[in-house]
Amino acid sequence: MPALTLREILALDTVGATEPELLAGASSLDRPVRWVHSSEVYEGANFLDGGELLLTNGFGLVGADAETRRRYVRELAARGAAGLAVEVGRSLPVMPEEVVAEARRLELPLLALHRVVPFVRIAEAANRAIVTQSLATRAVRTWETDHAAALLADLADGRALNQPEVTARSELAGFRPGEGSLLVGISVHGPQRAAAALLRGAVRGLGGRPVLQASFPGDTLALLAVVRTAARPGVTRDPVRDPVRAVQMALRAAAHGTESGGWAIGGEGVTAAVGHAVPAAAAWLRRSETLRAARAALELALTVPPAEPAPEHGPLITSSRALALERELTRGGLDANRDRLAALVQQTLGPLLEWEAAHPSDLVRTLEVHLRNGCSPTRTAALLHIGRQSLYQRLERIEMLLGLAPDDPELQGALLSAACAHRIVRGAQAAAAPGRRPAA
């Protein structure tokens, strides 16, 4: 990793606030600093890899004899340390002469820090500057000239990163979510122009919130910042209190041409999946998780028929939580679970399948939609585009064939799992058929 010089590190405001005094190693100020660490371990420098600036409060030097102090400096130099910065005035009243003499002999930069600044602040500022310098000079993949694409690719691929690096790279890409924001990962399949238009519309619908987005072969990825509203008396389904729902609604509104009354992105074959919400201030791994969840949900949405009827012309917009059951049933891959799912379907829904084979009907789908919507006749009938009387007739037929009441709480979990498994297996069979296109 390209590094900053020690001279450049000393020019940082946070380091300058310590009132550093250079006691040794003036000729080595242009040596590279690869990272900044703090440690009070004096038994050796085995944890160093070379190129580090080491920060210490000097407590371990207080009771040590002169030879131990010299050996400590020698070990740091032998390990290739870029420098040693020691806080003086608290634990260590003054810098020991033997430490200064040994550092001068070895040309190891030695700094006395005369004002107290938390080491975590110094390390964070310095390491962020190092990462920013690194990113400005390297290109790992063809799209890494685009800082947003490079960061999103690394997060979605689960590459090993660290918090200062992700923070610095976010700032380099112009992504500053703000305190209190929640981040939601989004993965969109379809023509890049249509996907970008969908995301732009959603961002506008959410008030121009910060977004990090880029297009890749296969999908367009985004991290969208959302601010959760406070609870309001009497309001139980405020979408902005539910960031995932807010993003889904913004995507749907962006896709629908409100002025023309039609679909603004209709016929484009666009499918979008939303991950879960994570605090912007949380560890970088949480950002990776919501992006990976969105991508996994998108893959399921493209291979498994939706549980409920999709819009006739507009894009399908779903979420990782909406597909949680599908994800659990296919954990480890569909091929590894195919026989188990088929057995579950036959054992639980066998009579319905036999009836459907002999009589044109839609009983299994009706059962799943009914269960997914809290056994609400009004909601189920509306989603299936049938009258309530027709729905009641179907539900009576289901109960008669199964010999079970679908609304029995003890049975709902098993029935819903089996109906979902049936849809997954059916989708896999359709995907294997010649000429079949991905679902949209």
Side-chain angles (χ1 to χ4, degrees), residues 181-193:
S181 295
L182 295 169
L183 303 182
V184 178
I186 307 171
S187 181
V188 185
H189 173 80
Q192 291 184 359
R193 182 175 298 180

Side-chain angles (χ1 to χ4, degrees), residues 317-339:
I317 297 171
T318 187
S319 66
S320 60
R321 68 187 186 189
L323 295 170
L325 184 55
E326 289 86 340
R327 186 174 64 250
E328 289 301 317
L329 290 173
T330 57
R331 189 174 294 277
L334 179 57
D335 289 341
N337 290 280
R338 194 183 303 271
D339 292 342

Side-chain angles (χ1 to χ4, degrees), residues 48 168 276 358:
L48 298 181
H276 49 275

Side-chain angles (χ1 to χ4, degrees), residues 81-243:
L84 172 65
V86 184
E87 183 184 282
V88 296
R90 291 200 303 173
S91 301
L92 190 69
V94 295
M95 189 74 74
E97 284 297 326
E98 55 271 22
V99 172
V100 177
E102 196 68 13
R104 288 175 177 170
R105 185 181 71 83
L106 297 171
E107 287 297 316
L108 177 70
L110 175 66
L111 298 163
L113 308 181
H114 292 286
R115 290 184 65 87
V116 176
V117 175
F119 285 162
V120 65
R121 286 177 52 194
I122 298 173
E124 183 180 61
N127 291 335
R128 183 184 297 119
I130 291 170
V131 170
T132 301
Q133 171 71 12
S134 170
L135 291 170
T137 57
R138 72 183 176 98
V140 177
R141 289 190 291 274
T142 56
W143 57 70
E144 281 218 345
T145 53
D146 181 339
H147 296 300
L151 179 55
L152 285 168
D154 283 348
L155 290 172
D157 291 343
R159 293 171 63 89
L161 304 172
N162 58 53
Q163 194 65 40
E165 179 178 359
V166 172
T167 301
R169 293 175 67 176
S170 294
E171 292 183 356
L172 202 61
F175 182 56
R176 301 175 181 86
E179 293 185 6
S181 295
L182 295 169
L183 303 182
V184 178
I186 307 171
S187 181
V188 185
H189 173 80
Q192 291 184 359
R193 182 175 298 180
L198 183 68
L199 288 170
R200 283 197 303 270
V203 170
R204 286 196 300 269
L206 290 169
R209 297 294 304 160
V211 64
L212 185 71
Q213 73 179 72
S215 296
F216 303 92
D219 69 343
T220 295
L221 280 177
L223 270 177
L224 179 57
V226 181
V227 176
R228 177 181 283 162
T229 60
R232 293 182 292 171
V235 179
T236 59
R237 290 179 65 85
D238 182 354
V240 186
R241 288 186 60 203
D242 181 347

Side-chain angles (χ1 to χ4, degrees), residues 247-310:
V247 172
Q248 286 183 272
M249 291 178 65
L251 288 168
R252 291 192 181 105
H256 196 275
T258 53
E259 294 182 2
S260 63
W263 290 100
I265 310 178
E268 294 283 5
V270 175
T271 303
V274 178
H276 49 275
V278 300
W284 70 268
L285 191 57
R286 300 290 301 279
R287 301 187 183 191
S288 177
E289 289 170 353
T290 185
L291 284 170
R292 291 164 71 84
R295 265 194 167 167
L298 179 65
E299 183 178 352
L300 282 171
L302 291 172
T303 55
V304 177
E308 297 175 357

